[in-house]
Amino acid sequence: MSDAEVIKAAISARAAQDGGSEYADARRSVEGDLNGDGAADVVVLYSLEGVGGGNGSTGYLAAFLRTGGQLELADTATLSGSAESLKLKDGVAHLKLLSLGPDDSACCPSVEEDAMYVLHGYKWLQVQAQP
């Protein structure tokens, strides 16, 4: 399977599991080495709309590791806010998220926060920056 087919299949499986459908225009991806093996892995940020039958959207961060030349899904984390950007630096996924502030309506989060994720084994861990 091509990289695109592996990614599409993983997102489709998650959509079937959680309900809803992908908002394809929101998908972003970056390549880089997530596990220190020198291979080009892929991190994908995507959004599913209508999860659980509602009209909201949920963001996901998926890690795909390259083993033997083929991508395979390692883990998918559900995000706590609406993702605005994704970068990968030194094996760390950096995201800008918008979360709901005290005066925000459910549609319109306004509180900007930075989030960082590292892949530990085959599991995403959210980490904090060192002071």
Side-chain angles (χ1 to χ4, degrees):
M1 290 176 85
S2 72
D3 290 356
E5 291 170 324
V6 170
I7 292 167
K8 183 177 179 178
I11 293 172
S12 295
R14 187 59 179 238
Q17 174 187 327
D18 291 358
S21 59
E22 182 187 13
Y23 176 55
D25 290 343
R27 187 191 303 179
R28 296 179 183 96
S29 63
V30 293
E31 284 191 14
D33 188 2
L34 285 172
N35 57 0
D37 67 356
D41 306 309
V42 179
V43 177
V44 178
L45 177 64
Y46 66 95
S47 178
L48 296 180
E49 295 183 331
V51 172
N55 63 357
S57 65
T58 303
Y60 299 88
L61 183 68
F64 294 87
L65 297 178
R66 191 169 306 281
T67 56
Q70 179 71 43
L71 279 187
E72 67 177 53
L73 177 64
D75 191 29
T76 302
T78 304
L79 301 175
S80 62
S82 174
E84 295 293 300
S85 67
L86 168 65
K87 292 184 220 170
L88 187 61
K89 182 178 179 193
D90 299 327
V92 179
H94 297 263
L95 295 103
K96 282 259 191 247
L97 300 175
L98 289 179
S99 299
L100 290 174
D103 297 323
D104 293 344
S105 60
C107 71
C108 309
S110 67
V111 177
E112 194 173 282
E113 62 182 88
D114 294 317
M116 297 186 325
Y117 287 82
V118 295
L119 199 64
H120 182 69
Y122 276 73
K123 189 79 175 155
W124 278 124
L125 297 175
Q126 188 171 4
V127 296
Q128 293 183 345
Q130 296 295 324

